[in-house]
Amino acid sequence: MTEIIIDPVTRIEGHSKITIQLDELGQVVDAHFHVTQFRGFERISQGRPFHEMPALMARICGICPVSHLIASAKTCEEIMAVSIPPVAVNLRRVMNLAQMVQSHALSFFHLSSPDLLLGFDADAAGRNFLGVAAAAPQLALDGVAMRKFGQQIIERLGGKRVHPGWIVPGGVSHPLEPEIRDEILAGIPDALERIRRTLSWYKANVADWADEAAVFANFPSLYMGLVHENGDIAFSDGDLRVVDAAGYLVADHIDPRPYWDYLGESVEPWSFLKSTYWKDLGYPEGLYRVGPLARLNVIDQMGTPEADEELQQYRERLGRYPASSFYYHHARLIEILHCIHAIAALLSDPGILDDRVRAVAGANRSEGVGVSEAPRGTLLHHYRVDENGLIEWANLIIATGHNNLAMNRGVLEVARKYVHGTEIQESMLNRVEAVIRCFDPCLSCSTHAIGEMPLNVQLIGPNGQVLDELAR
Amino acid sequence: MSVAGNVLIICYGNPIRGDDGAGWRAAELLADDPRAVGAQVLARHQLTPELAEDVSRASLLVLVDASEEPGVAGSVSVYPVPDSPKAGSAFSHHVDPTHLLQLAATLFGQSPRAVQVSIRVADIDPGTALSAPVEAGMPMLVDAVIDLINQHRQRCA
C-alpha cells in the first residue's frame, strides 16, 4: 500500500491535509480529507453567560463571523423566549447578505479563479490571484471590489469588518443611520455591474471545465438549506428543507429544535471535523450537501427577478437538481447577484430606519437552538444554560461538517480519475485540492498567521520509504 | 493617482493574541499622535488584496506588525519591503507585503515605496493585553513610524 499526502491543502480557509492510498498497482483505493486544526469552542463556552455567546462565537471565524453571530443570537433568543423587532430581523439580513457577497467573492475570485482562468494544469508558481490580476485585470478588479463592497457594509453597520459586535441577543445594538443606508445604496449599481460581468465570463467559459465538472464530487445526494415560507431562498431565517437527488421532498419547514432526531453526528479518528448525516439513511449513506449548490436545489426561486432569470438559465443548462459540486461556483455567483438586489430592496424600505431594534430579557428557558445560513451552508447552534443563565453545554454543527462526507467522497472520486502510478504530478494533486475548494470549506482562519503555508506531498511506499516528493 | 506626501500606515495583527495585537495598539497611538496628522492609519487583522487600491494611492506605505523573528522582545526593526516574496509564501485571502505591492502595481498602475516596521513579540498566547516588554517598546515603534513620515515629507517638500 502506498500513500500520498497533501499537507496542507492550499487556497482554503484553515488547515487540513489530504491522504490518498494507492495499491501495489498504483491505483487509488481510498482517500481522506483530514481537518488537522482543533478549536474547542463548545468547551470554551461552558460557564460563560449566555448573552456573551454571540460575541464569543463570532471569533470562530474571520470570514463568516456574521453567520455565527446570527445563529448564536437566535439561540439566545430562544433561551430568552422573545421575538425580536421586525426591523432588527431585516437589519441582520442586510449584514448576512453582505457577508455572503464578500465571502463568495473571496471563494470565487481569490481562491478558485486561478484554476478556472489559468487552468488546472498551469504552473503552480503563478496559479494564484496575482496571476489572475496579470492575465485578466478586470476579473481581479471585480473580485477585489465585490469583496470590499461586502466588507464595507459589514463595517458600516457593525463598526468592524471582522467580528462586528452589532448583532446581539434580542436584535441589534443600534439602529441604522440614514447616511449609512444611503452610502450602501450608492454602491449597489457598481456591484451589480461587476457581478453581471463575472456571470457572463463564467457562462462563456464553463464548457472549458467540462472534464472537471464531470468528476468533481458528482454524485446523487440529499441537499439541505433554509427556505422562506413561499419557497424563496433564506439566509438568516426561514425553515429547513431537505430534498433528494430527484427532487423528492424529504423534509420541509422542519423545526431545527429537534435536529438530533434527523441529523446524526459521527466522529472519525483521522479528523477533528465531525461528519453529519441524515439519520434515516444511516452513516455514511446519509450523506447530504449544504451551501450554494444545495440551496439552489432546495429552493423554489431566489426571490429577486434578475437572480431568478439566472437561476432559470442555470436549471435549463444543468437540470433541476445539478449533482456536480463543480457547480457550487456558478451557484455562488447567482447568490451574489441575489444578495446585492436583496440588500437594495431591504434598505429601500423606509421602515429600515426604525429605532426599535432590540428586545431585552433574561434567561426564560434552559435550552435553545438557532439556525442560519453561512456562505458555505447551514449553521446550527445549540446551548443549554443553568438557572443563572450560564452555559452548561453547547453543540455547533457548521456547514463544513454537513459537507464532510461529500468532500471526502469527492476527494476519492477525483483521485481515482486523476491520480495514477507512483509518480506525483502537481496538476493532478491540484485537482484533488480543487474539488475541496468547490465546497469552500471554512476550517476557521480568524487567527493572524505568522509564517508560511508550504505544500508538501510525499509518496510513501509499503515499507514507509519516500518514493517521491513534491513541495510548493 | 498617488499624491506626494500621501502616507498610508497599515497596522496589522490579531488583537486577541497578546503581542500579535501590537499593530492595533500602534494604530490607536498613531491615530492620536499629532505628529501623524495627515497620514491615513488603518488597523487590520491581515493584509488582504482589498487594500491594493488604497496602497496604490499612497506615496509611502508603512506596514506595522509584530514579529516572531529572534531578538529582544519589544525591540523594533525598520526595513524596506523586499521585491521578492518570502519563499513558499502562499496566496490565499491574505497576502504578504510584497504581493500586496505587486497587486497594487498590476491592478491600479502604481505602488509606493514601502517600509515594514516590526516589533518583536514575547507572548502571543490568547489575550488582549501586550506583554510588558512590548508595551514598553510601543513608544519606540511609534517614533520609528513618525521618523519615516517626517523623512518622507522632507523628501517630498
Side-chain angles (χ1 to χ4, degrees):
Chain A
M1 183 74 75
T2 299
E3 187 173 64
I4 298 171
I5 303 171
I6 303 176
D7 182 13
V9 179
T10 59
R11 282 189 279 136
I12 64 168
E13 308 303 339
H15 306 287
S16 65
K17 69 174 182 178
I18 292 170
T19 57
I20 304 166
Q21 285 86 42
L22 308 181
D23 64 15
E24 304 296 341
L25 300 175
Q27 301 299 310
V28 172
V29 291
D30 205 358
H32 289 303
F33 173 60
H34 308 253
V35 177
T36 55
Q37 65 182 76
F38 178 71
R39 305 301 303 283
F41 273 78
E42 288 147 320
R43 178 73 180 171
I44 292 169
S45 63
Q46 290 179 13
R48 306 306 307 172
F50 80 89
H51 57 78
E52 287 184 1
M53 288 298 277
L56 181 60
M57 292 295 113
R59 260 66 186 184
I60 289 172
C61 182
I63 302 296
C64 48
V66 176
S67 308
H68 283 287
L69 281 167
I70 291 174
S72 183
K74 289 173 73 175
T75 309
C76 292
E77 285 144 14
E78 279 228 324
I79 291 169
M80 296 156 73
V82 296
S83 294
I84 72 170
V87 68
V89 172
N90 286 335
L91 287 171
R92 286 179 179 184
R93 285 177 178 170
V94 172
M95 187 180 262
N96 206 17
L97 291 163
Q99 182 192 243
M100 293 288 164
V101 173
Q102 70 88 11
S103 179
H104 281 358
L106 168 65
S107 171
F108 184 82
F109 294 96
H110 297 51
L111 305 183
S112 290
S113 79
D115 294 327
L116 303 179
L117 177 75
L118 306 171
F120 292 87
D121 298 313
D123 180 7
R127 197 180 55 223
N128 53 43
F129 191 62
L130 195 59
V132 172
Q138 187 62 58
L139 186 69
L141 280 167
D142 288 342
V144 168
M146 252 185 290
R147 180 141 199 254
K148 203 169 184 176
F149 171 75
Q151 285 180 319
Q152 285 179 333
I153 294 174
I154 294 168
E155 185 173 27
R156 296 300 281 137
L157 294 175
K160 293 192 292 184
R161 62 182 57 199
V162 179
H163 304 144
W166 184 59
I167 293 172
V168 293
V172 297
S173 61
H174 55 269
L176 178 64
E177 300 292 335
E179 55 270 26
I180 294 175
R181 175 199 58 185
D182 296 345
E183 187 184 311
I184 296 170
L185 285 172
I188 295 289
D190 179 71
L192 284 173
E193 182 184 338
R194 292 180 189 279
I195 189 59
R196 287 170 183 147
R197 184 162 47 228
T198 306
L199 268 162
S200 295
W201 176 82
Y202 177 91
K203 290 185 287 187
N205 290 282
V206 67
D208 295 343
W209 312 309
D211 288 348
E212 285 77 17
V215 293
F216 272 26
N218 185 10
F219 43 73
S221 74
L222 302 182
Y223 305 98
M224 183 171 81
L226 288 175
V227 294
H228 285 299
E229 189 70 34
N230 64 357
D232 282 359
I233 196 166
F235 294 104
S236 301
D237 24 50
D239 298 311
L240 287 171
R241 176 183 284 178
V242 181
V243 301
D244 72 9
Y248 172 74
L249 207 53
V250 175
D252 199 11
H253 297 292
I254 47 175
D255 189 341
R257 188 189 305 270
Y259 67 86
W260 50 89
D261 284 348
Y262 47 85
L263 298 182
E265 294 180 79
S266 176
V267 178
E268 295 288 356
W270 38 264
S271 180
F272 283 118
L273 181 61
K274 294 182 288 190
S275 297
T276 316
Y277 59 98
W278 190 252
K279 267 188 174 175
D280 283 353
L281 298 180
Y283 178 81
E285 290 75 16
L287 175 158
Y288 63 95
R289 281 176 275 187
V290 297
L293 178 86
R295 285 194 287 257
L296 265 55
N297 280 352
V298 302
I299 61 168
D300 298 328
Q301 65 278 326
M302 302 296 292
T304 53
E306 189 177 3
D308 277 326
E309 284 177 29
E310 288 291 339
L311 179 64
Q312 188 178 341
Q313 289 179 32
Y314 168 92
R315 287 174 173 171
E316 284 170 359
R317 198 171 66 77
L318 304 174
R320 176 61 181 84
Y321 302 98
S324 170
S325 296
F326 187 87
Y327 299 121
Y328 270 97
H329 295 311
H330 194 169
R332 215 164 264 131
L333 296 179
I334 295 172
E335 285 195 343
I336 292 176
L337 177 66
H338 166 77
C339 290
I340 297 168
H341 279 300
I343 290 169
L346 286 163
L347 293 180
S348 297
D349 178 354
I352 200 73
L353 299 175
D354 195 299
D355 59 5
R356 295 187 178 194
V357 294
R358 187 173 186 180
V360 179
N364 294 309
R365 287 195 188 114
S366 60
E367 189 169 8
V369 175
V371 60
S372 72
E373 286 288 332
R376 294 145 190 90
T378 311
L379 175 63
L380 278 157
H381 283 216
H382 181 191
Y383 313 147
R384 293 189 191 122
V385 297
D386 66 13
E387 66 277 9
N388 297 312
L390 302 180
I391 298 290
E392 287 186 318
W393 175 89
N395 188 35
L396 312 175
I397 305 179
I398 61 168
T400 303
H402 294 294
N403 279 333
N404 200 18
L405 285 173
M407 287 191 293
N408 273 280
R409 186 163 162 189
V411 165
L412 178 59
E413 191 178 74
V414 173
R416 281 181 169 151
K417 167 76 175 177
Y418 289 103
V419 179
H420 303 286
T422 55
E423 188 176 341
I424 306 170
Q425 291 173 10
E426 196 281 335
S427 60
M428 65 190 191
L429 296 177
N430 182 48
R431 284 183 172 81
V432 177
E433 292 184 86
V435 69
I436 294 294
R437 290 188 201 113
C438 291
F439 290 91
D440 189 23
C442 183
L443 311 177
S444 299
C445 53
S446 55
T447 303
H448 171 59
I450 299 176
E452 299 171 353
M453 253 178 82
L455 170 67
N456 291 308
V457 184
Q458 288 186 321
L459 188 64
I460 302 169
N463 299 321
Q465 75 275 30
V466 177
L467 300 177
D468 198 354
E469 186 165 6
L470 282 179
R472 70 165 188 250
Chain B
M1 179 68 72
S2 73
V3 177
N6 269 6
V7 178
L8 175 62
I9 305 167
I10 304 177
C11 306
Y12 61 106
N14 187 337
I16 58 172
R17 285 298 299 268
D19 290 341
D20 197 26
W24 286 65
R25 180 84 180 108
E28 292 170 1
L29 295 170
L30 287 163
D32 291 339
D33 194 319
R35 297 174 297 170
V37 167
Q40 185 185 5
V41 182
L42 300 177
R44 293 286 185 268
H45 286 79
Q46 298 171 325
L47 301 179
T48 60
E50 293 70 51
L51 291 164
E53 186 172 9
D54 291 326
V55 167
S56 75
R57 289 177 179 152
S59 56
L60 172 67
L61 172 65
V62 182
L63 298 169
V64 180
D65 189 18
S67 168
E68 281 192 308
E69 294 293 320
V72 178
S75 62
V76 174
S77 300
V78 179
Y79 50 93
V81 173
D83 292 334
S84 300
K86 282 196 284 188
S89 62
F91 213 99
S92 64
H93 61 281
H94 65 96
V95 294
D96 68 17
T98 305
H99 280 136
L100 180 59
L101 291 169
Q102 290 175 346
L103 263 184
T106 304
L107 291 180
F108 300 101
Q110 49 195 357
S111 65
R113 188 170 79 89
V115 182
Q116 184 102 32
V117 181
S118 297
I119 186 164
R120 288 182 182 80
V121 301
D123 181 3
I124 55 168
D125 281 345
T128 55
L130 300 180
S131 67
V134 170
E135 189 68 61
M138 292 309 293
M140 188 164 48
L141 179 74
V142 170
D143 286 348
V145 175
I146 298 297
D147 284 348
L148 289 167
I149 295 172
N150 289 337
Q151 289 166 20
H152 182 69
R153 286 177 174 160
Q154 285 170 6
R155 208 175 283 142
C156 295

